[in-house]
Structures are given as C-alpha cells and as structure tokens.
Amino acid sequence: GPCADQRTLKILSWNVNGLRPTAAKFGGLSKLLEVLDADVICIQEHKLRKCDLTSDLALADGWESFFAFNRGNQGYSGVATFCKHSKTMPVYAEEGLCGVLNLQPAERSQALKDSIWTGSSYTVEDLMAIDREGRVVITDHGSFVLFNMYGVAITGEDENYERRTLKMALCKTLEARVMAYLQQGRRVLVVGDLNISPRPLDTCQVLQDVDEWMSSRPRQWLYRLSHDGPCGGGPFVDTFRMFHPTRSAAFTCWSTATGGRVNNYGTRLDLLLAAG
C-alpha cells in the first residue's frame, strides 16, 4: 500500500568497470540511472580521475552524486554514490574513511589528534595512503549511514606484501568507522565490491583445502564481524544470505579473460552488509 511504498528505499550496488563506457551503453548517465531503477545507486570502479570527470557523468536531473577519486596518475578504482532527490538526500557526505584526505597539510596532524585515530598506531601518512585510491564514499542519510566501498583485489598468491597490507588496513579502518557509528546507536550499511568471497558456497573454485581458504586474513576479518559467520557474534548481517542461505551459483564476478560469465563460472565478491 501507500505507506509501505513510502517506507521502502531501494539501494543498488554495481561494479561498473568504467562509468564512461557503461553510461554510453545505456545512452547516457540519466538513462543508466533510470534503467537501474533504485533510490540510491552505489557504483565501484568508475575509473575516472577527478580532472577527467565531466558534467555528463556526474549530473543527472533529480539526482545528487558523491565521488571518490584515485589520487594517482591513472584512472583506476574510484567509487560514486548517486542519491535520488525525491527519496533520500544525505545530510553529510565524505570521501574516504580516514577524514584527512581533503584537509590542508597543516590541518591534518590536528585532525588526527581530534579523531577516532587518537591513540592508534596510524600516522597521517598511513591514513592518506589508505584513502589515496578512492575506494570509499560515506553518506549519512539520517536514519542510516551508507558506506560504498571497493575493496583491494589480490589477483594471485604472489601479489606483493604492500597490496595485502593495504587491503587489511582498509578493512580495519572501515571497522573502526562502523563501530564508532554503532556505538552512537546508528544503523549502518556497507555495500560494494569488497573483493572478499565469504564462503565456499560463494565461489566456483574447487577448493583443495577449505580450512586454508577460509583462514585468509580478509575472510577471518569478515567472519569476526559477521553475526552469522563461523565466528558468530559480530554486528554485520550478510543480507543476501539472510534471504538466500543455501543458494549456490549466485556470483557477481567472472573472469573476462576466460569468458566465465557465459557459463556462470565466477565468485560472489559484492556484498550488502547491514548492522545496527
């Protein structure tokens, strides 16, 4: 009925692997947002530098957009959250997790002292490095706080130590921000391509050693924070598994090199986690 419609908010998350070509396939950004038919649309891997962002990729009638950009020289990574004016407009938005990215150099040290990072081992340089690749946008919608996140991908066993360290640093700073909101009694949603496949059910891989696969640091981090994970007791609920606890072959990522999507040979890396 009308009351139910007023209380319903549709949030969609999609790794578009390039916003410009994806929007072009749909006939432009406005058409893309219309076809996706949601009230909040979280995209990952827009692959745009700030200097490359043009109005046709940021502005659409009836929508507000919030971007995070890779600070490097390449168009890589990047997330954006689009909010429909008629349904939900955030009262606050932030690029990154750490709160120092857009401050002047002279302001960063004081901001560190006045933040949740006080007493931690993080330096200003550490926090800048965590947010430099444009992996998170936070929007506060009053009744809930939304984290749109693109996690670090580890593409092989030989991936270097630096990337693995960044992946866990991103996870831990996300945890700190989420916990701070939960302690205030807020509701939190974390959505996006986290690049973590939670369970054996979520991958097409034939696992020779399930225990070893589940023991990876990112999965152990996710299990510890999950209400329904192997560790139990955490604040997060994997909303897909709440509604589809035994569904298999529900993948969100496929190898383009092997054409894995044709035969649905993939992995579920995109998650919608709720807490509070």
Side-chain angles (χ1 to χ4, degrees):
C3 291
D5 290 341
Q6 290 173 7
R7 297 178 183 178
T8 299
L9 189 71
K10 184 176 180 182
I11 300 174
L12 180 148
S13 175
W14 184 20
N15 182 325
V16 297
N17 192 27
L19 178 58
R20 190 179 299 279
T22 300
K25 289 178 184 177
F26 285 83
L29 177 64
S30 294
K31 187 62 177 177
L32 170 63
L33 298 176
E34 178 186 344
V35 169
L36 293 178
D37 188 28
D39 305 310
V40 181
I41 296 172
C42 300
I43 67 166
Q44 300 86 44
E45 280 203 278
H46 61 60
K47 295 187 176 181
L48 296 165
R49 296 177 302 171
K50 192 171 185 177
C51 61
D52 295 328
L53 183 66
T54 50
S55 59
D56 60 310
L57 295 176
L59 303 178
D61 287 344
W63 293 84
E64 196 75 24
S65 62
F66 304 90
F67 280 76
F69 299 96
N70 190 319
R71 293 304 204 268
N73 294 324
Q74 295 180 327
Y76 163 76
S77 186
V79 301
T81 300
F82 294 86
C83 302
K84 189 179 289 184
H85 289 168
S86 61
K87 294 292 285 190
T88 178
M89 280 295 292
V91 297
Y92 171 80
E94 180 179 341
E95 180 184 9
L97 283 170
C98 303
V100 298
L101 193 60
N102 292 306
L103 298 178
Q104 294 299 317
E107 301 173 319
R108 290 169 184 161
S109 295
Q110 186 59 44
L112 182 61
K113 296 176 184 177
D114 297 336
S115 71
I116 63 172
W117 315 119
T118 301
S120 74
S121 60
Y122 290 118
T123 65
V124 170
E125 290 73 22
D126 293 335
L127 299 178
M128 289 290 293
I130 290 168
D131 280 340
R132 191 168 284 127
E133 295 186 355
R135 293 184 174 274
V136 177
V137 163
I138 305 170
T139 48
D140 185 339
H141 298 260
S143 58
F144 66 94
V145 180
L146 176 64
F147 290 75
N148 175 9
M149 177 174 170
Y150 174 49
V152 177
I154 304 298
T155 57
E157 290 301 317
D158 295 329
E159 187 80 15
N160 65 44
Y161 173 79
E162 182 181 349
R163 301 305 293 170
R164 294 181 182 274
T165 301
L166 177 60
K167 186 181 185 79
M168 288 310 303
L170 193 70
C171 290
K172 290 177 180 179
T173 49
L174 171 68
E175 177 183 353
R177 289 299 303 268
V178 167
M179 290 304 180
Y181 278 118
L182 293 178
Q183 288 169 8
Q184 297 170 16
R186 305 297 304 279
R187 295 183 176 93
V188 175
L189 296 173
V190 176
V191 309
D193 179 356
L194 271 62
N195 267 309
I196 302 175
S197 181
R199 308 182 186 184
L201 185 63
D202 296 314
T203 179
C204 63
Q205 289 180 286
V206 177
L207 302 176
Q208 301 297 327
D209 189 332
V210 173
D211 291 338
E212 181 181 357
W213 184 84
M214 294 176 68
S215 69
S216 74
R217 290 183 67 199
R219 288 190 186 91
Q220 287 297 309
W221 169 82
L222 184 60
Y223 296 155
R224 181 171 53 80
L225 293 180
S226 298
H227 180 73
D228 56 348
C231 300
F236 281 134
V237 173
D238 181 342
T239 58
F240 176 79
R241 284 297 171 210
M242 181 175 69
F243 292 105
H244 308 284
T246 60
R247 182 175 171 183
S248 60
F251 303 138
T252 64
C253 181
W254 305 264
S255 170
T256 55
T258 61
R261 190 163 190 171
V262 175
N263 297 311
N264 195 28
Y265 191 82
T267 307
R268 186 171 75 100
L269 300 177
D270 299 70
L271 308 177
L272 294 94
L273 307 174

